[in-house]
Amino acid sequence: MKVISAASVFALSALVSRTMPAEGAATFFLALTLGTVLAAVGRMGLDRNVIRFVGSTVPPRHAGAVVMWTLVLAAVATAVISVGVSQLIAFTGWGAPEMVAGARLSVPIATSIAVCTVASFILQGYGRASLSLIVATGGSALGALCIGLLAWWSGAVELDAGLVAVAFAASGAITLAVSLGVLLARDGVRLGLVRVDWRPIWASCRSMFWIVLMAQAFRWSGQIALGAGAGAEDVVAFNAAQRTANLVSFLLVAVNAVVAPAFVGLIETGDRQRLQQMVSQSTRLMTAACLPVLVLLLIFQDRVMAVFGPAAAVHGMLLAMLVVAQGVNVATGNAAALLIVSGHEATLRNVVVVTGVVSASLCFALADHGVYAVGMVTAVAIALQNILVAGQVRRRLGVSIW
């Protein structure tokens, strides 16, 4: 399922890059990036935290109330925040015209990403890893890709950033509805207004909010910085390189969805030997599986970037930098997930906030120096953050990633 999701995102980026003018493609990519960051704000840390408060060990009516209210809160908060940000950008005229247009289109995208991400973690709590991966990104990207291809092939409707953005959000909503149907029909979840003690949930959400927000900010700040001051072609090239490099770590998300619930059980029982064995095996498996993708992308970097059109074809070295960074990400395994499920969110928060603030600041400061300066900052930040997090796992849990 993760392969299908990763391939859908890659194909959607290639379709947009090759069939739209640089300005239209940049508008959609900025909308998607802004939507991703704003969705992280609107989720308020509920996504990664809710997995500990739902599942087979929680009373169905209690879990159902948590499921319902987390989805409602995420949707409402994200919609309000994204509308406010888009209006602020439009009022101030901050950035290039593509940034203003992208901010407007980010509203439906952000709301869709927020509720789908929360739903994906809820599904993980019920052991439905495959469905979780589809809901996270695959359904939205695949649906938008199919609609975009149909519009481009038929010529009946002009393929533009607005159409793809609406298709992305609508496909996410449909995927969400199907996943909730599965929870209600097969897992015994009963939505309702049962009284829930939110204190332990919100207590953990404070740290998770900053972790998720800064992780998204440092991951996507390069593209936003280029959208604020650089040309549309630089935005398209950087988006192509970054989303292609993410193919290296596609298996990391899939494995995390499977092993995270198992980590929780082993940590609660104190079985450190079994935990060490599972962590080491999963890291080695992911590294071995992703290594061929990494090598192929490094060897054929120019040809891969050419898939996204002439503007991106000359930026093979940019892809190489980001691919190496994602290789480090995979080699550090499930470090972040381990800190989260073991209750060390504050430790992870400190690492992510420091690296995120420094990375974002440097991206905006160096955006005028071109796409390679921003790419180098992003690559170094990704690698450094993952190495620091792996070190904290060793220190706090006594578990080696390898």
Side-chain angles (χ1 to χ4, degrees):
M1 292 299 178
K2 185 57 184 175
V3 174
I4 296 175
S5 299
S8 299
V9 174
F10 178 82
L12 178 62
S13 297
L15 175 68
V16 170
S17 299
R18 294 195 69 90
T19 59
M20 293 185 194
E23 293 76 12
T27 296
F28 173 73
F29 291 140
L30 287 170
L32 187 57
T33 299
L34 284 171
T36 302
V37 176
L38 293 172
V41 179
R43 294 195 302 269
M44 300 176 290
L46 288 168
D47 48 349
R48 295 178 182 272
N49 190 40
V50 74
I51 191 174
R52 298 191 302 183
F53 299 92
V54 299
S56 58
T57 60
V58 181
R61 289 181 62 82
H62 184 280
V66 173
V67 169
M68 183 181 72
W69 285 114
T70 50
L71 290 173
V72 170
L73 286 171
V76 173
T78 304
V80 171
I81 292 170
S82 55
V83 167
V85 170
S86 66
Q87 291 298 315
L88 179 63
I89 292 177
F91 178 75
T92 59
W94 180 67
E98 293 82 16
M99 176 67 80
V100 177
R104 185 177 67 256
L105 294 177
S106 70
V107 175
I109 291 178
T111 306
S112 176
I113 291 176
V115 292
C116 285
T117 303
V118 171
S120 73
F121 279 93
I122 291 171
L123 289 164
Q124 285 185 36
Y126 286 93
R128 294 192 172 277
S130 297
L131 189 55
S132 170
L133 293 172
I134 297 174
V135 173
T137 55
S140 300
L142 183 59
L145 174 63
C146 293
I147 294 173
L149 284 172
L150 181 62
W152 172 71
W153 177 75
S154 65
V157 181
E158 181 181 0
L159 184 63
D160 59 12
L163 174 63
V164 180
V166 171
F168 187 94
S171 299
I174 294 172
T175 308
L176 174 66
V178 173
S179 67
L180 289 179
V182 172
L183 281 179
L184 294 173
R186 298 187 179 182
D187 292 294
V189 177
R190 295 292 179 266
L191 303 181
L193 300 176
V194 177
R195 182 178 177 83
V196 176
D197 184 3
W198 288 90
R199 286 174 295 180
I201 300 178
W202 288 121
S204 182
C205 280
R206 285 194 293 269
S207 293
M208 286 307 309
F209 171 78
W210 290 108
I211 291 170
V212 175
L213 175 60
M214 295 311 302
Q216 295 295 340
F218 109 92
R219 183 179 183 184
W220 301 109
S221 58
Q223 194 172 147
I224 296 175
L226 291 171
E233 291 187 352
D234 282 345
V235 174
V236 173
F238 191 84
N239 175 83
Q242 191 168 26
R243 294 190 184 279
T244 303
N246 288 342
L247 293 174
V248 175
S249 58
F250 75 95
L251 195 61
L252 180 61
V253 179
V255 173
N256 276 340
V258 175
V259 301
F263 286 161
V264 174
L266 293 173
I267 290 172
E268 289 179 348
T269 59
D271 191 347
R272 285 292 189 270
Q273 183 177 358
R274 176 60 181 151
L275 178 63
Q276 176 65 75
Q277 183 182 15
M278 180 174 289
V279 170
S280 298
Q281 288 178 347
S282 63
T283 303
R284 292 166 186 167
L285 170 65
M286 289 186 296
T287 304
C290 294
L291 190 59
V293 179
L294 185 148
V295 172
L296 288 173
L297 289 176
L298 289 177
I299 294 175
F300 301 106
Q301 53 186 262
D302 293 326
R303 294 185 181 180
V304 172
M305 289 296 286
V307 173
F308 298 92
V314 297
H315 294 295
M317 187 55 66
L318 176 64
L319 174 62
M321 290 190 297
L322 295 173
V323 162
V324 172
Q326 288 299 329
V328 176
N329 182 21
V330 174
T332 53
N334 310 100
L338 279 166
L339 289 178
I340 292 170
V341 299
S342 62
H344 291 92
E345 298 98 333
T347 299
L348 180 60
R349 177 200 62 202
N350 295 339
V351 173
V352 172
V353 167
V354 172
T355 54
V357 169
V358 173
S359 171
S361 300
L362 288 175
C363 282
F364 279 94
L366 298 176
D368 291 339
H369 294 276
V371 69
Y372 282 96
V374 174
M376 179 60 71
V377 170
T378 303
V380 172
I382 292 172
L384 180 61
Q385 183 184 97
N386 282 281
I387 292 171
L388 292 174
V389 171
Q392 289 299 322
V393 170
R394 178 71 176 179
R395 179 185 175 190
R396 300 289 181 178
L397 300 178
V399 173
S400 173
I401 295 299
W402 278 83

